[in-house]
Every structure is written in structure tokens, then in C-alpha cells.
Amino acid sequence: MNFWHIRLHFNILLINEKKEGSDLEGAKRIPGNISAVVPAYNSALYLKSTVESLLQQTYPLFEIIIVDDRSEDATYSLCMELEKSSGGRVRAYRLARNCGPSLARNIGMELAHGEWVLFMDHDDIAEPQLVELELQRLSELEAGAPGDWVLVHSAYGQMGENGERLAGVTRWRQVAPEEMLGYLLVRNPILTASGVLLKKEAALRAGGFDPAWRYSQDWDLWLRLAQLGGFGYVDAPLIWIRRHSSNLSRKICNFKTDEKAILKRYEISFIEEAIHCRRLPWEVNRADFVSVLYRLDHWEEGFRAIKEVTVKRPGLPAGFFLSGLYYLRNNNWSKACFSFERTLELAPEHGAAMNNLGAILALRGDYEKAKNLFARAISLFPGYLDATHNLLRLEEKRTLHLGDVRFTWRELRPVLLTYAE
């Protein structure tokens, strides 16, 4: 069911008996006002803190719309309390059946009166200046290129289950509108919908969030939006993402499955052209294109391309790392080992190469060197699951087999997400 099907069935899905006389389809869109949309499902534990962070914005939100996705706990009762205590700034709706976060966001977007919509997940926290600084950035970008911008986002930090701030800030950078699609195809720099300010008209034109994807629906929409306009970026951690045991994002393998299926919707030539639109050196774009080919199982085509990169630009660490992945996949341990060693010579803090080299050495019985590599990778990248797993296995038993170790199949982000296994 896509977004336009939602509109056809809107009155069936939404329960809102107490708001008599509201004309949702004909509601006037109010220019300059910002609506926030918060999908909620079994959110009683954290929702109040999230909404309070939105109510405390230095640039006041016109409305905060909570869409309760048929929760089974006290979420909707809490929504009613928040609506009552907010003086009308919070509006709560409950769906007639559980539909998932994508449909809940789409319905919230349809209900929103603002031309721009701010999305928040039910358990995250916004800094007070989030909306103010994102609008300020949008104003700056519009002054230089009017009408070219469809989304604004910020850097973010992570916090634990009880709100304790975790180390590290995940950052991005401002890029030109024509570059963003290529960056997104290589790796999604916007890892959460929280704090993302969307131009409503563009989001609707792009089709909204697709419920076909449970784990990568945000990235799928960003890809479609990047074909309509540019993305603004604020280089300050204005959103705090709560990491806890019930996070959907802990299911890393499910993300990979979604990612591959979404990438397959695009022609290889389209992906290649988009990546090479980035204002980066040829060899960097080429290596990133190879990383996408690998994810799509085009290993031979990717290897031919990366050999060209290593010949023309032998000083590029990614060239040797990607060569190592090819050899790893083909069980050519000697060449894989050489490739990862060469990667580390060029980039001594390349965490994925450390882990992969350590895994090969552990399989060969060079335990001390492997242990040192795993420990160093973990010290550089706290929360590195593959290296942590490998180090624990190495400490548990002295003989490791192929099924005991984990390899890392792409380069690491500067700051890793915190996951629960």
C-alpha cells in the first residue's frame, strides 16, 4: 500500500471521534509554520520526554502531531494527557489498526498544516535550538539557490536507555544538490528520521515513506527526495538518539537485506553516474562505486574496476581494502592478507582492515598478533561488534575455525552506532 492508497482509506484508518467538524482534506496550509510528526507504538516509557523536547523549541512549533499506531500499552492515554496539558499544541490520533511506522508517518504528514514537517521518533530527544538552527540553515541555502532544497538535518549524538550521553558525534557535511544522491547510494549519512525537516510538498511528490521496507524506509525516501532537490545540513548535534534493547536498528542483517533490495531498484549505470557527480577525485568515486557493486553481488565487475584504481592510484587505502574483500570472498587468504596489510600501511587506523587481517591471522594460528589487532580496532572504534566478537572467541578457545570469526565487508563510519546484539 503506497501513500496515495492511505489517502483513499484515511477515514477508515484514523480514529478521532472527539475532533468533530475538522476538515482534514481541506485544511488550510499555513506558510512559515512547522509541524512535528511523532509516530508512536508502545511508547509510554519515553514519549513524554520526546514531546517535551519539542515543546521547548526556541522556534515554537505550530503543532505536534502524535500518531499512535494502535499501541498495546498506555501510550494513547499518555497522548491524551500531553494534548490536554499542551494547550492545544499537541494533537493526538490513534489508528484503527497497527500499520507500522511508515504509514503512521505518512498519515501524520497528511494531517500536518505546515509547509515543512519535522519528524521525531518516539524515544529520541531534540535540543532546544533544533528547529531554529535548521530553519536558519535553510534560509541561508535558499538565499543562494532559491527553491532547490527539500530537506534539512543535523549532526546527532547517542544516549543510553536512561538518557546518559554516549561519546562521539555523528557528523556529515554540506554538499551541493547534485551530489547528494551519489553520497546516499554509497552510504546513508542520515541514520534516523528524528530531527529531519522535510518540505511537505516534495515528500508527498516523492511518495512518502514506503511501508514495504521495515528497516530502511528512511533511506529509501531520502534517495527519492535527493532526485528532487538538495539537503541542508547543520553541523551541531541537535538530536540525541536513544539506544536500547528494543531498537529496530539492532537488527543489522535486516538492514543489509533491505539495502540490497532498494539498491536493485536502480540501474547500475544510474548508480555509477550519480556517484561520479560528486565533487571528489576520480579514484574515490570509483572505489565507492565498487563498494556498491560488491553489495549488489557484482564481484567480478567490481574487482576489474578496483584493479584499475590500484594501478592508477596506488596510494588509495580503499583500493587495497576492496581488493582484500574480493580475495576474502574467494578464500584467497594470502592475497587478502597482503591487501589488508597494505591498507594498514596507507591508513594505520583503518578499523575494518585491522579486524579482517586479525581474523585471517587468528585462523592461521597467529593469536597474539590477531588479539592485538582486535584490541586496537576496539579502542579506536568503541562498540565495534565484529572485532569484539572475534576477540571474545579468541579468548574463549585457542583454535578458531572459519565459522568462529566475523569479517567486516565495508569501511567503518568515523563514529559507530551502538547496537544490542
Side-chain angles (χ1 to χ4, degrees):
M1 179 183 289
N2 62 29
F3 182 70
W4 299 110
H5 289 144
I6 297 168
R7 296 190 68 181
L8 291 174
H9 298 282
F10 193 83
N11 291 328
I12 298 174
L13 288 174
L14 192 63
I15 296 178
N16 192 27
E17 300 94 337
K18 64 188 183 63
K19 295 180 177 62
E20 297 179 357
S22 60
D23 181 10
L24 299 176
E25 289 293 331
K28 181 181 179 182
R29 306 305 180 195
I30 304 174
N33 286 321
I34 309 298
S35 301
V37 171
V38 184
Y41 177 71
N42 291 348
S43 308
L45 190 59
Y46 302 116
L47 182 61
K48 184 176 180 180
S49 296
T50 299
V51 172
E52 286 177 348
S53 76
L54 294 175
L55 289 168
Q56 294 166 5
Q57 291 297 300
T58 55
Y59 184 102
L61 291 159
F62 174 71
E63 60 187 350
I64 299 167
I65 298 170
I66 306 173
V67 181
D68 175 28
D69 193 17
R70 203 64 185 182
S71 295
E72 298 174 341
D73 64 0
T75 295
Y76 192 60
S77 297
L78 176 60
C79 289
M80 294 296 94
E81 293 175 12
L82 291 169
E83 186 176 83
K84 184 177 180 180
S85 64
S86 71
R89 291 181 62 198
V90 174
R91 297 162 54 202
Y93 300 86
R94 193 177 196 204
L95 302 186
R97 57 182 174 84
N98 179 259
C99 297
S102 291
L103 294 189
R105 287 182 183 133
N106 287 340
I107 289 171
M109 185 160 48
E110 176 65 14
L111 286 163
H113 291 76
E115 291 182 346
W116 287 77
V117 177
L118 178 78
F119 285 96
M120 281 291 292
D121 286 344
H122 69 92
D123 49 1
D124 298 335
I125 299 295
E127 289 287 347
Q129 287 187 294
L130 170 68
V131 178
E132 179 183 351
L133 293 179
E134 288 192 340
L135 288 178
Q136 179 180 311
R137 184 61 179 143
L138 178 61
S139 178
E140 293 167 355
L141 293 168
E142 284 282 341
D148 284 352
W149 308 94
V150 295
L151 182 153
V152 187
H153 66 109
S154 76
Y156 67 87
Q158 299 178 77
M159 61 183 178
E161 193 162 354
N162 298 315
E164 67 276 16
R165 302 291 170 90
L166 305 179
V169 173
T170 300
R171 299 185 183 275
W172 179 232
R173 61 186 178 277
Q174 185 62 59
V175 300
E178 65 272 16
E179 295 182 276
M180 193 64 202
L181 178 61
Y183 279 108
L184 282 164
L185 287 164
V186 173
R187 174 164 251 162
N188 181 17
I190 311 172
L191 297 180
T192 175
S194 286
V196 174
L197 190 62
L198 292 181
K199 189 174 185 178
K200 180 176 174 177
E201 178 274 330
L204 296 182
R205 185 152 44 102
F209 294 92
D210 189 342
W213 313 116
R214 185 180 178 191
Y215 297 95
S216 298
Q217 65 269 36
D218 302 349
W219 178 57
D220 172 58
L221 178 55
W222 309 157
L223 286 169
R224 286 180 275 122
L225 275 171
Q227 298 173 61
L228 300 179
F231 291 16
Y233 170 70
V234 180
D235 192 29
L238 302 176
I239 287 291
W240 293 91
I241 310 302
R242 195 184 303 269
R243 315 307 302 179
H244 52 82
S245 58
S246 60
N247 282 139
L248 286 178
S249 55
R250 71 187 188 277
K251 306 294 187 182
I252 302 173
C253 62
N254 294 319
F255 274 103
K256 292 179 179 179
T257 300
D258 274 10
E259 178 186 63
K260 185 175 179 180
I262 290 169
L263 283 173
K264 282 187 172 181
R265 289 184 165 187
Y266 299 93
E267 296 288 340
I268 294 295
S269 58
F270 177 85
I271 294 172
E272 182 178 15
E273 182 180 356
I275 291 173
H276 279 277
C277 279
R278 303 180 307 171
R279 299 170 186 174
L280 296 174
W282 169 85
E283 63 270 21
V284 175
N285 283 331
R286 200 67 183 161
D288 280 346
F289 174 55
V290 169
S291 74
V292 177
L293 288 176
Y294 282 1
R295 282 145 61 198
L296 289 169
D297 293 326
H298 293 277
W299 286 90
E300 297 302 326
E301 182 182 349
F303 184 60
R304 288 193 296 271
I306 208 60
K307 283 199 298 185
E308 182 185 9
V309 171
T310 56
V311 169
K312 290 185 177 180
R313 300 291 188 273
L316 183 69
F320 289 96
F321 177 71
L322 290 164
S323 297
L325 294 184
Y326 174 84
Y327 292 127
L328 198 61
R329 184 177 182 273
N330 288 280
N331 299 320
N332 191 330
W333 306 110
S334 295
K335 287 189 175 181
C337 191
F338 168 81
S339 297
F340 295 133
E341 287 175 338
R342 181 64 179 141
T343 304
L344 289 172
E345 289 174 8
L346 295 169
E349 297 188 350
H350 196 292
M354 278 182 214
N355 176 74
N356 291 353
L357 178 59
I360 294 172
L361 294 175
L363 293 172
R364 288 179 167 181
D366 194 345
Y367 301 123
E368 286 306 312
K369 190 171 182 180
K371 184 176 180 180
N372 290 336
L373 285 167
F374 296 143
R376 177 160 168 74
I378 295 166
S379 69
L380 291 170
F381 299 92
Y384 186 1
L385 295 183
D386 290 343
T388 300
H389 169 91
N390 290 337
L391 183 58
L392 288 173
R393 290 294 176 273
L394 195 58
E395 292 173 342
E396 288 171 358
K397 56 183 185 178
R398 299 299 293 176
T399 302
L400 293 182
H401 302 287
L402 187 57
D404 295 321
V405 298
R406 291 182 184 175
F407 294 104
T408 301
W409 293 93
R410 63 193 303 177
E411 294 183 288
L412 302 180
R413 298 179 186 274
V415 176
L416 301 185
L417 285 174
T418 299
Y419 291 105
E421 294 200 80

